[in-house]
Amino acid sequence: MPASLPISVARFTRAALLIGCIAAFAGCDPAPSSGPPHVALAFETYTLPNGLEVILRRDARLPIAAVNLWYHVGPANEAAGRTGFAHLFEHMMFQASGHVPEDQYFAILEGAGSSFVNATTDFDRTNYLEDVPSNQLELALWLESDRMGFLLDRLDAASLANQQDVVRNERREAVENTPYQLAEERLFQRLFPKEHPYYAWVIGSHDDIQAAKLEDVREFFRSFYGPNNASLAIVGDIDVAQTKQWVDKYFGTLARGPEVAVPTAKAPVITSEVRDTVPDRIELPKVLMGWITPNAFQPGDAEAIVTARLLGGGKSSRLYRSLVYDQKIAQSVSASQQSLSLGSVFEVTLTAKPGHSAAELEQQFDGELGRFASEGPSAAELRAAKTALYSQMVEQLQHVGGLDGVANAFNRYNQYVQDPGFLQKDLERLDAVTASGVKRFVTEQLARDRRVVIHCIPGEKRLPPGPPTPAAPAKSDQTIVSAEPWRNERPKAGALSTTPLPAPLQFQLENGLTVLLVEQHGLPVVAAELVVRSGSAADPTAQPGLAGFTASMLDEGAGKRDALGIARELEALGASLGTIAYTDGSVASVSSLKGQAAAALGIMADVVTSPTFPAGEVDRVRNDRLTALVEQESQPMQTAMRVMARCVFGQAHPYGHLSLGSSDALKAIRREDLEAFYRGSYSPRNAALVLAGDLTESEARRLARGAFGSWSGDAPQSPAPGAGEPTDVRITVVDLPGASQTALVCAQPAVARSDPDYEKLNIMNQVLGGLVSSRVNINLREKHGYSYGAFSFIRENRGVAPLVVGAMVRGDATAPALREIMLEVAGMKARPMSTAELELARESIARGLPALFETAADVSGTVSWLFLYDQSLDYYAKMPERLASLTPASVFEATQRVLDPDAMRVIAVGDRKSIEPALVRLGLGVVTTRNSQGGEPIRP
């Protein structure tokens, strides 16, 4: 699985399924009922004399440019004893290069307003991605070219040691301290022999990570990071001619590297079933099954992809219907094909409900797979699976960059089939899959004697001892003599885009429903979001979780439709619908092509205005939510946040619990309670409908009236909660015996979203921990190597919200990490931030605003937040002007008013025996212990 830097965090995600084609792209025709959509993306490709492949596409919908650079290197190229080396090197590329000082990469891009920066390593490749305002494209190319050409100029032993600490922390966080990940690692170790490059997990082992030497890193760079082993895709609002000049300027002078041999390892043939058991600190058993299947884009790969969708691709899949919905023995199921160059992996995962075993799940799966092998898919099943896959692939075309956008697709196709424009052929190869082909794949490829079966069961987590972390070497006193000194001049930004951010049109229906419209006519897509000003803060004191339970029941039966009927109709329309409760609001959202918008919105209206709360579904969803609570207890940071809410606000406060609630309350909630909460919260006068996409005002009015015009009710807006009562205890420990890391959270009450100083405090937050280049992240991650990544945020609440600072830290560094966090918080309160810090934070927010409007679903979610928190309709359009007026003094004044290190409550979820003594010695205050539900203190 890919390993990546923790950079881009979305508030919440909505997927828009597009079944036809996108008219804004050249050569797109509507999808015929019997085949895939026709998609022809216009692009240009050429190769520099040094071997760098370049792929360019202009898409001027938003002032965003995506830079996506793939190096054809991953674990497939690693030598024995160097597992995780490609991923370690990915980290080294962010340290410094000849003309970019240490730890400046993120700061430079964040200050330029980049909306996405990341890098990932997978088995066959490493990619580096940044989405920047289009006027900052030259800056991004300068940075990428500098580390391609001049990384070794500044690379030293201290930088390597620092990133070894960071990567080992990432392994602790992402593998060792994350439920089920040790079993995932074991699956690959049993599928592939030790001599195969896929045997080791991408991130590698502690021993191999720590064993890397400076000369190893230098040799790896010289071997694999030349321009002739890379491809560069640039997509977005670009001037193609100017972009070519910049590519030639910044990359054209870089020397060609040595030729890279194509890895030739052969996938093993498994001839008898392999079984293993992995104990883990979990509550729910899990079954993982894997098969080695045909290589990426080779015969059989398409059948594997379609089969995965048929078996475990959603609520209509066979495994979901059988194990989750009908038998109710599984909490979740999934199936996937990870298409790779040296042996793909088809994986099925089944997570048990409480009281059910891994053996039971495996037995029922075997029966279901046997029936599938015998029957094959029906014509309707196969058609639906293909439609869903077409939708997923074409949906990505809304994004120019990111991990799933057009630029990344160009590079993926270029790597595996040497054709960046392979998308249409990819759709056609899926269309060519037949029912008999699926049956043949299941019978031949998914046979029992060709699989590995891992049972992950509750038990003691077994971790081999890792090598000690050596003392960090001193930083070398380097004198950099540039071979190309002109690169020392950082490119200046181009002219700012004059395209204004959209401000919604507002009107009201006769029943009082507020309707907000944002027109976006480039794409034939419509997204809608219905937001109600009533969320988990409106839960009765004795019924935490009631709002979330109610929201989750809306699409389980409405009007004359039952749960599966709703799902089938949405799938037939190519639409997606979701319902969820947040702290202060509840949301239903839907997205579809414009031609299906009226029908899709009609289903959403039925769900919102006429839920039936079927008794049988109430019990099933209750069980699902109780199981989700059990799953949360295996996740240290989730536990820390749940306990934080109680410690900062008090158990009885509306913000003193999370939306999932408590097990006792969920068990006691009756159908009548759900109906009563619905009647008291959901009404047109307490809601807004946000429409975004390819709609005119007249069309929007017609759609809104048709779907919601008959809705009635007078439920009032939930009041904003008052102040809470923080616990008297300063530090609360939740015991996770044997944990290698601690989930460390420090929090205090801050301000409501409506507070006039909120934007000033958000600037402060960016500097403290909101950016990758923030103070706490640089301190804990880069300076001390305590953590893979530290963060801070101020929640958006109608009442007083918490300010939270936290990180997953190495267990033995819990107390030192807490000391450093408190020092950073105290420093923020003691003196104003620098002008440079203010500028970076301000620009990171203001220049990244266009990314909030990239897709129709993005727009509907962004605008619904304006209604929920009583912001003006031109809030985003005027934000840059407001931010420009801020000064270090004005931000400092707000910081001194609100930030209070002494008021912060500390939650540490980790191995109490090893972390508590050092926490006591810090002398910050009383240390106590609570259980994972955040109940009353167990002992002072």
Side-chain angles (χ1 to χ4, degrees), residues 271-328:
T271 57
S272 61
E273 184 181 71
V274 180
R275 305 184 67 85
D276 205 343
T277 300
V278 176
D280 200 352
R281 192 172 52 246
I282 55 173
E283 298 292 335
L284 305 178
K286 190 169 195 170
V287 179
L288 301 91
M289 285 174 275
W291 294 260
I292 296 176
T293 50
N295 293 351
F297 297 97
Q298 297 303 306
D301 180 49
E303 282 75 11
I305 293 169
V306 173
T307 299
R309 180 71 195 185
L310 289 162
L311 280 177
K315 287 188 175 181
S316 62
S317 69
R318 290 200 168 208
L319 293 179
Y320 183 91
R321 289 198 312 265
S322 175
L323 276 63
V324 177
Y325 193 87
D326 291 337
Q327 298 185 59
K328 301 177 179 63

Side-chain angles (χ1 to χ4, degrees), residues 509-513 601-602 605-606 608-610 678 682-685 689 701-714:
L509 300 187
E510 288 77 5
N511 58 7
L513 178 66
L601 194 62
D606 221 16
V608 170
T609 66
S610 307
Y678 171 81
Y682 287 74
S683 80
R685 299 187 183 280
L689 172 67
R701 287 181 181 274
R702 185 166 59 252
L703 278 176
R705 287 196 188 99
F708 288 95
S710 61
W711 189 20
S712 62
D714 293 308

